[in-house]
Amino acid sequence: MLSSAIGICGALISLIGWFVFHSFPMLIVGTFLFFIETAMEWNQLNSGAKALNFIIIIIGCIVGLFVNMPIYISAMLAINIYSALMVLLTIIIMLIGNRG
């Protein structure tokens, strides 16, 4: 639960910081929180999930090349969009599981 809270905070900080305030430091802070969350859950991930983290970074870099954006920014955005989606799905699954 703590890692989910860290993950959603990181995703919100970075995505709101970048798309609303155009703040590069907020993007870095959010990405750093993603790496903290990933480090907390690394032993629980299977090899496919570990590889998916790297694939998301690569996809972000490729998208950055096509939209004339620095690849490090597009990679951080891809990481944080992926993190937001995964954390929201995790929270939804936990809420549904506690209902029954």
Side-chain angles (χ1 to χ4, degrees):
M1 188 67 181
L2 177 64
S3 66
S4 295
I6 291 172
I8 197 69
C9 287
L12 287 175
I13 288 170
S14 64
L15 295 176
I16 290 173
W18 182 255
F19 289 114
V20 176
F21 301 112
H22 303 289
S23 173
F24 184 67
M26 290 178 77
L27 182 64
I28 291 174
V29 168
T31 304
F32 180 71
L33 289 175
F34 167 78
F35 286 121
I36 290 174
E37 175 201 10
T38 302
M40 291 173 68
E41 295 182 354
W42 191 257
N43 291 333
Q44 297 173 358
L45 299 176
N46 61 19
S47 60
K50 291 176 183 177
L52 185 61
N53 285 334
F54 295 112
I55 291 171
I56 294 296
I57 294 170
I58 293 168
I59 290 171
C61 293
I62 293 170
V63 169
L65 291 173
F66 284 109
V67 295
N68 285 338
M69 178 183 280
I71 59 172
Y72 58 91
I73 292 176
S74 61
M76 286 190 279
L77 287 173
I79 288 169
N80 288 300
I81 291 170
Y82 167 73
S83 175
L85 291 174
M86 290 300 107
V87 169
L88 287 175
L89 287 174
T90 302
I91 290 172
I92 290 169
I93 289 170
M94 282 196 290
L95 291 175
I96 290 172
N98 287 338
R99 270 179 143 191

